[in-house]
Amino acid sequence: MNTADLGLPVDVPSTALFTDHYELTMLQAALEAGTAGRRSVFEIFTRRLPEGRRYGVVAGTGRVLDAVENFRFDAGVLGFLRERRIVDEETLQWLAGYRFSGDIWGYPEGEVYFPGSPVLRVEGSFAECVLLETVILSILNHDSAIAAAASRMASAAGDRPLIEMGARRTHELAAVAASRAAYIGGFASTSDLAAGFRYGIPTVGTSAHAFTLLHDSERDAFRAQVDSLGRGTTLLVDTYDVAEAVRTAVEIAGPELGAVRIDSGDLLLVAHRVRQQLDALGARDTKIVVTSDLDEYAIASLAAAPVDAYGVGTQLVTGSGHPTASMVYKLVARAESDDPRAPLVPVAKRSSGGKTSVGGRKWAARRLDADGVAEAEVVGTGPVPGELADRQLLVELIKGGAVVAREPLDVVRDRHAAARAGLPLSATQLSRGEAVIPTEYVHPR
């Protein structure tokens, strides 16, 4: 059974109202003006990366495909729009038959991106494309921000596994999306059961301080946990005195004790002391898991510590200080008329304040150096240069309204690892800097 087909145990009848009021008022006006059917091209991109980030991570594409499929105006939704008089009756009749019938191209999920990269391209009539703006941006901005933070943390952790455990620090549905994005970015497991149910991500967890405090003594708590979950369990050792807890843990579980978890204090110092103590007690194979408000910088600072795994919560699900990828959804080309054969005309916003955009339907390719390392993100309109033909990044995701590119999450996760490995070494530095490769624009002469 494919767990992704089960859906969340939450009643969300459609994604049609995951949008802004003005999407529908624009639709009504365009229908009345006779311009709603004009063939249009919208692109999703970001003008800049969050401060200090060297690359972005495309995440949420699979969820976008689900959202587009479920973008339906059923009777309940139409009733709400009618009751609030948000649009007129003619527009409601049009919405009742809404099905996205256009095409969507995009960077494969898990790929990296840079300023100006056309991460997603949505093509169809103005009417059917404009309605998707908010739901697509809400997914990609959230998931890409989390995946980028996860990727930096995974780079800092090296070969040590990371556990996502931030469900209690964000919205309950955002927690599931965050788990998925973190897995793409390199995390190995999650504590969130809804994420395991929905996406098949491995779930882990043993006990919290409350379990220890429930019992009359720490020894009683450890005994109860080992008796129930086996000697391979992970015991939380910082409720009272760490050294005493480690001694008690090994006495009860023996050298077969799976792991101990440290959730407070000077983690670098405590981890060294616990490792020495475990080894002295004969528990050389017992692992050490650390938690406690970790981010990529704290993880990097523990690189020399005898730590075997990290549990990360708050900083991960909030994007480690950058909770959005700042992507935008812009009309870049539209037909001159409703005629399906009418040529596309490039369009772009021109304004001050750094919010300009580049018109035209774009392609993207990544140029590599002689060693096969990425050296530039090339974005252009018109014909693709021959030397970049086999380096194009956009793939077809939806064709004629039908999804054509669903992928297992492990494929996406592996793609990201490969994409990150193909960047210059400075991409994984945590020090502040610009995008690790430049974006170059190519236009036909």
Side-chain angles (χ1 to χ4, degrees):
M1 177 177 62
N2 184 356
T3 56
D5 293 334
L6 295 174
L8 281 170
V10 177
D11 184 18
V12 180
S14 85
T15 54
L17 292 185
F18 292 163
T19 190
D20 284 302
H21 187 121
Y22 78 171
E23 312 291 7
L24 299 188
T25 53
M26 281 193 289
L27 169 65
Q28 177 178 311
L31 288 170
E32 186 171 345
T35 53
R38 287 188 177 183
R39 189 160 55 100
S40 300
V41 180
F42 287 82
E43 289 177 352
I44 292 87
F45 61 93
T46 185
R47 296 184 176 94
R48 64 190 64 84
L49 297 176
E51 184 181 359
R53 298 289 167 88
R54 305 298 181 90
Y55 61 92
V57 181
V58 178
T61 308
R63 298 206 308 119
V64 166
L65 300 182
D66 293 340
V68 172
E69 277 193 331
N70 292 315
F71 205 90
R72 303 283 187 267
F73 291 84
D74 57 27
V77 171
L78 292 170
F80 165 79
L81 298 176
R82 180 177 290 109
E83 178 186 348
R84 299 293 182 93
R85 297 183 180 181
I86 291 172
V87 290
D88 60 23
E89 196 61 36
E90 290 76 13
T91 305
L92 289 173
Q93 291 176 14
W94 189 92
L95 291 172
Y98 180 88
R99 299 291 187 275
F100 180 73
S101 62
D103 303 328
I104 295 181
W105 291 69
Y107 279 38
E109 191 167 18
E111 185 56 86
V112 296
Y113 69 86
F114 300 91
S117 297
V119 170
L120 207 71
R121 190 175 71 222
V122 183
E123 304 183 29
S125 70
F126 176 83
E128 62 181 345
C129 294
V130 74
L131 294 182
L132 299 175
E133 175 181 4
T134 302
V135 69
I136 288 177
L137 284 179
S138 67
I139 292 171
L140 292 182
N141 269 317
H142 174 269
D143 290 22
S144 296
I146 305 305
S151 180
R152 284 162 59 87
M153 293 174 187
S155 294
D159 295 332
R160 297 171 179 176
L162 291 156
I163 306 163
E164 185 281 311
M165 47 194 304
R168 63 192 63 187
R169 295 292 187 262
T170 188
H171 184 278
E172 66 270 19
L173 297 185
V176 182
S179 293
R180 182 183 184 277
Y183 191 68
I184 291 170
F187 275 59
S189 57
T190 178
S191 66
D192 189 71
L193 290 177
F197 174 76
R198 177 67 177 86
Y199 297 115
I201 301 170
T203 60
V204 296
T206 50
S207 68
H209 291 104
F211 185 77
T212 300
L213 296 170
L214 168 69
H215 293 81
D216 295 337
S217 70
E218 193 169 52
R219 178 178 294 274
D220 289 344
F222 287 175
R223 171 60 67 190
Q225 184 173 326
V226 170
D227 286 349
S228 178
L229 302 179
R231 296 176 184 271
T233 192
T234 299
L235 295 175
L236 181 58
V237 295
D238 71 332
T239 305
Y240 304 117
D241 179 83
V242 172
E244 181 61 29
V246 170
R247 186 178 306 107
T248 302
V250 176
E251 285 179 10
I252 291 172
E256 297 86 5
L257 176 62
V260 295
R261 178 163 74 95
I262 306 166
D263 187 52
S264 59
D266 182 336
L267 297 179
L268 178 63
L269 176 62
V270 176
H272 276 288
R273 288 178 174 174
V274 168
R275 182 73 271 161
Q276 292 173 357
Q277 186 179 9
L278 287 170
D279 291 348
L281 293 171
R284 296 183 176 276
D285 295 328
T286 299
K287 299 184 182 302
I288 297 174
V289 180
V290 296
T291 53
S292 185
D293 291 328
L294 298 177
D295 61 10
E296 59 266 48
Y297 301 100
I299 291 169
S301 73
L302 292 169
V307 172
D308 298 286
Y310 305 94
V312 189
T314 303
Q315 292 301 317
L316 174 65
V317 299
T318 57
S320 194
H322 298 290
T324 177
S326 298
M327 293 182 186
V328 294
Y329 186 101
K330 295 299 179 182
L331 181 66
V332 297
R334 53 91 172 168
E336 295 178 327
S337 70
D338 286 349
D339 187 339
R341 298 166 296 179
L344 289 171
V345 178
V347 295
K349 176 181 178 180
R350 292 182 177 86
S351 65
S352 60
K355 284 193 172 184
T356 58
S357 55
V358 178
R361 182 180 186 272
K362 299 174 198 67
W363 49 264
R366 190 161 298 145
R367 190 172 69 238
L368 308 181
D369 65 16
D371 296 319
V373 178
E375 66 175 11
E377 192 87 339
V378 186
V379 177
T381 57
V384 181
E387 67 273 17
L388 295 175
D390 62 348
R391 299 299 308 167
Q392 293 189 70
L393 291 163
L394 277 77
V395 299
E396 196 166 29
L397 302 170
I398 292 181
K399 182 176 183 179
V403 175
V404 296
R406 275 203 173 86
E407 298 178 299
L409 201 54
D410 282 331
V411 170
V412 176
R413 174 184 165 89
D414 291 344
R415 177 182 294 123
H416 174 63
R420 187 176 63 203
L423 297 176
L425 287 176
S426 57
T428 58
Q429 290 179 352
L430 297 182
S431 57
R432 294 187 180 276
E434 300 300 320
V436 72
I437 61 173
T439 302
E440 299 176 0
Y441 290 95
V442 177
H443 301 291
R445 296 179 179 179

CSV table of all heavy atoms in Angstrom, one decimal, residues 350-378:
chain,number,residue,atom,x,y,z
A,350,ARG,N,7.5,46.6,-14.1
A,350,ARG,CA,8.6,47.6,-14.1
A,350,ARG,C,8.3,48.6,-12.9
A,350,ARG,O,7.4,49.4,-13.0
A,350,ARG,CB,8.8,48.3,-15.4
A,350,ARG,CG,9.3,47.4,-16.5
A,350,ARG,CD,9.5,48.2,-17.8
A,350,ARG,NE,10.0,47.3,-18.8
A,350,ARG,CZ,9.2,46.6,-19.6
A,350,ARG,NH1,7.9,46.6,-19.5
A,350,ARG,NH2,9.8,45.8,-20.6
A,351,SER,N,9.1,48.5,-11.9
A,351,SER,CA,8.9,49.4,-10.8
A,351,SER,C,10.2,49.6,-10.0
A,351,SER,O,11.2,48.8,-10.2
A,351,SER,CB,7.8,48.9,-9.8
A,351,SER,OG,8.3,47.7,-9.2
A,352,SER,N,10.2,50.6,-9.1
A,352,SER,CA,11.4,50.8,-8.3
A,352,SER,C,11.3,49.9,-7.1
A,352,SER,O,10.3,49.2,-6.8
A,352,SER,CB,11.4,52.3,-7.8
A,352,SER,OG,10.3,52.5,-7.1
A,353,GLY,N,12.4,49.9,-6.3
A,353,GLY,CA,12.4,49.1,-5.1
A,353,GLY,C,12.9,47.7,-5.3
A,353,GLY,O,12.7,46.8,-4.4
A,354,GLY,N,13.5,47.3,-6.4
A,354,GLY,CA,14.0,45.9,-6.6
A,354,GLY,C,13.0,44.9,-6.9
A,354,GLY,O,13.3,43.7,-6.8
A,355,LYS,N,11.7,45.3,-7.3
A,355,LYS,CA,10.7,44.3,-7.5
A,355,LYS,C,10.4,44.1,-9.0
A,355,LYS,O,9.4,43.7,-9.4
A,355,LYS,CB,9.4,44.7,-6.8
A,355,LYS,CG,9.4,44.4,-5.3
A,355,LYS,CD,8.0,44.5,-4.8
A,355,LYS,CE,8.0,44.1,-3.3
A,355,LYS,NZ,6.6,44.0,-2.8
A,356,THR,N,11.4,44.4,-9.8
A,356,THR,CA,11.3,44.2,-11.3
A,356,THR,C,11.4,42.7,-11.6
A,356,THR,O,11.9,41.9,-10.8
A,356,THR,CB,12.4,45.0,-12.0
A,356,THR,OG1,13.7,44.5,-11.6
A,356,THR,CG2,12.2,46.5,-11.8
A,357,SER,N,10.9,42.3,-12.7
A,357,SER,CA,11.0,40.9,-13.2
A,357,SER,C,11.4,40.9,-14.6
A,357,SER,O,11.3,41.9,-15.3
A,357,SER,CB,9.7,40.2,-12.9
A,357,SER,OG,8.6,40.8,-13.5
A,358,VAL,N,11.7,39.8,-15.1
A,358,VAL,CA,12.2,39.6,-16.5
A,358,VAL,C,11.0,38.9,-17.3
A,358,VAL,O,10.6,37.8,-16.9
A,358,VAL,CB,13.5,38.8,-16.6
A,358,VAL,CG1,13.9,38.5,-18.0
A,358,VAL,CG2,14.6,39.4,-15.8
A,359,GLY,N,10.6,39.5,-18.3
A,359,GLY,CA,9.5,38.9,-19.1
A,359,GLY,C,9.9,37.8,-20.0
A,359,GLY,O,11.1,37.6,-20.3
A,360,GLY,N,9.0,37.0,-20.5
A,360,GLY,CA,9.2,35.9,-21.4
A,360,GLY,C,9.2,34.6,-20.8
A,360,GLY,O,9.6,34.4,-19.6
A,361,ARG,N,8.8,33.6,-21.6
A,361,ARG,CA,8.8,32.2,-21.2
A,361,ARG,C,10.2,31.6,-21.1
A,361,ARG,O,10.9,31.6,-22.1
A,361,ARG,CB,7.9,31.4,-22.2
A,361,ARG,CG,7.7,29.9,-21.8
A,361,ARG,CD,6.8,29.3,-22.9
A,361,ARG,NE,6.5,28.0,-22.7
A,361,ARG,CZ,7.2,26.9,-23.1
A,361,ARG,NH1,8.3,27.1,-23.7
A,361,ARG,NH2,6.8,25.7,-22.8
A,362,LYS,N,10.6,31.2,-20.0
A,362,LYS,CA,12.0,30.9,-19.8
A,362,LYS,C,12.4,29.4,-19.7
A,362,LYS,O,11.5,28.6,-19.3
A,362,LYS,CB,12.6,31.6,-18.5
A,362,LYS,CG,12.4,33.1,-18.6
A,362,LYS,CD,12.8,33.8,-17.3
A,362,LYS,CE,12.3,35.2,-17.3
A,362,LYS,NZ,10.8,35.2,-17.2
A,363,TRP,N,13.6,29.1,-20.1
A,363,TRP,CA,14.2,27.8,-19.8
A,363,TRP,C,15.3,28.0,-18.8
A,363,TRP,O,15.7,29.2,-18.5
A,363,TRP,CB,14.7,27.2,-21.1
A,363,TRP,CG,15.6,28.1,-21.9
A,363,TRP,CD1,15.2,28.8,-23.0
A,363,TRP,CD2,17.0,28.3,-21.7
A,363,TRP,NE1,16.3,29.5,-23.5
A,363,TRP,CE2,17.4,29.2,-22.8
A,363,TRP,CE3,17.9,27.9,-20.8
A,363,TRP,CZ2,18.7,29.7,-22.9
A,363,TRP,CZ3,19.2,28.4,-21.0
A,363,TRP,CH2,19.6,29.3,-22.0
A,364,ALA,N,15.9,27.0,-18.2
A,364,ALA,CA,17.0,27.1,-17.3
A,364,ALA,C,17.9,25.9,-17.5
A,364,ALA,O,17.5,24.8,-17.8
A,364,ALA,CB,16.5,27.2,-15.9
A,365,ALA,N,19.2,26.1,-17.3
A,365,ALA,CA,20.2,25.1,-17.4
A,365,ALA,C,21.3,25.4,-16.5
A,365,ALA,O,21.5,26.6,-16.1
A,365,ALA,CB,20.7,25.0,-18.9
A,366,ARG,N,22.0,24.4,-16.1
A,366,ARG,CA,23.2,24.6,-15.2
A,366,ARG,C,24.5,24.2,-15.9
A,366,ARG,O,24.7,23.1,-16.3
A,366,ARG,CB,23.0,23.7,-13.9
A,366,ARG,CG,24.0,24.1,-12.8
A,366,ARG,CD,23.6,23.5,-11.5
A,366,ARG,NE,22.3,24.2,-11.1
A,366,ARG,CZ,21.3,23.5,-10.4
A,366,ARG,NH1,21.5,22.3,-10.1
A,366,ARG,NH2,20.2,24.2,-10.2
A,367,ARG,N,25.3,25.2,-16.0
A,367,ARG,CA,26.6,25.0,-16.7
A,367,ARG,C,27.6,24.5,-15.7
A,367,ARG,O,27.7,25.0,-14.6
A,367,ARG,CB,27.1,26.3,-17.3
A,367,ARG,CG,28.3,26.1,-18.3
A,367,ARG,CD,28.6,27.4,-19.0
A,367,ARG,NE,29.2,28.4,-18.1
A,367,ARG,CZ,28.6,29.6,-18.0
A,367,ARG,NH1,27.5,30.0,-18.7
A,367,ARG,NH2,29.2,30.5,-17.2
A,368,LEU,N,28.3,23.5,-16.2
A,368,LEU,CA,29.4,22.8,-15.3
A,368,LEU,C,30.8,23.2,-15.8
A,368,LEU,O,31.0,23.5,-17.0
A,368,LEU,CB,29.2,21.3,-15.3
A,368,LEU,CG,27.8,20.8,-15.0
A,368,LEU,CD1,27.8,19.2,-15.1
A,368,LEU,CD2,27.3,21.3,-13.7
A,369,ASP,N,31.7,23.2,-14.8
A,369,ASP,CA,33.1,23.4,-15.2
A,369,ASP,C,33.7,22.1,-15.7
A,369,ASP,O,33.0,21.0,-15.8
A,369,ASP,CB,33.9,24.0,-14.1
A,369,ASP,CG,34.0,23.1,-12.9
A,369,ASP,OD1,33.8,21.9,-13.0
A,369,ASP,OD2,34.4,23.6,-11.8
A,370,ALA,N,35.0,22.1,-16.0
A,370,ALA,CA,35.7,20.9,-16.5
A,370,ALA,C,35.7,19.7,-15.6
A,370,ALA,O,35.8,18.6,-16.0
A,370,ALA,CB,37.1,21.3,-16.9
A,371,ASP,N,35.5,20.0,-14.3
A,371,ASP,CA,35.5,18.9,-13.3
A,371,ASP,C,34.0,18.5,-13.0
A,371,ASP,O,33.8,17.7,-12.1
A,371,ASP,CB,36.1,19.4,-12.0
A,371,ASP,CG,37.6,19.7,-12.2
A,371,ASP,OD1,38.3,18.9,-12.9
A,371,ASP,OD2,38.1,20.7,-11.6
A,372,GLY,N,33.0,19.0,-13.7
A,372,GLY,CA,31.7,18.6,-13.5
A,372,GLY,C,31.0,19.3,-12.3
A,372,GLY,O,29.9,18.9,-11.9
A,373,VAL,N,31.6,20.4,-11.8
A,373,VAL,CA,31.0,21.2,-10.7
A,373,VAL,C,30.2,22.3,-11.3
A,373,VAL,O,30.7,23.0,-12.3
A,373,VAL,CB,32.1,21.6,-9.8
A,373,VAL,CG1,31.5,22.5,-8.7
A,373,VAL,CG2,32.9,20.5,-9.2
A,374,ALA,N,29.1,22.6,-10.7
A,374,ALA,CA,28.3,23.7,-11.2
A,374,ALA,C,29.0,25.0,-11.1
A,374,ALA,O,29.7,25.3,-10.1
A,374,ALA,CB,27.0,23.8,-10.4
A,375,GLU,N,28.9,25.9,-12.2
A,375,GLU,CA,29.6,27.2,-12.2
A,375,GLU,C,28.7,28.3,-12.5
A,375,GLU,O,29.0,29.5,-12.3
A,375,GLU,CB,30.8,27.2,-13.2
A,375,GLU,CG,30.4,27.0,-14.7
A,375,GLU,CD,31.6,27.2,-15.6
A,375,GLU,OE1,32.8,27.2,-15.0
A,375,GLU,OE2,31.4,27.3,-16.8
A,376,ALA,N,27.5,28.0,-13.1
A,376,ALA,CA,26.5,29.1,-13.4
A,376,ALA,C,25.1,28.5,-13.6
A,376,ALA,O,25.0,27.4,-14.1
A,376,ALA,CB,26.9,29.9,-14.6
A,377,GLU,N,24.1,29.3,-13.2
A,377,GLU,CA,22.7,29.0,-13.5
A,377,GLU,C,22.3,29.9,-14.7
A,377,GLU,O,22.4,31.1,-14.5
A,377,GLU,CB,21.8,29.3,-12.3
A,377,GLU,CG,20.4,28.7,-12.4
A,377,GLU,CD,20.3,27.3,-11.9
A,377,GLU,OE1,21.4,26.6,-11.8
A,377,GLU,OE2,19.2,26.9,-11.5
A,378,VAL,N,22.0,29.3,-15.8
A,378,VAL,CA,21.8,30.0,-17.0
A,378,VAL,C,20.3,30.0,-17.3
A,378,VAL,O,19.7,28.9,-17.4
A,378,VAL,CB,22.5,29.4,-18.2
A,378,VAL,CG1,22.4,30.3,-19.4
A,378,VAL,CG2,24.0,29.3,-17.9
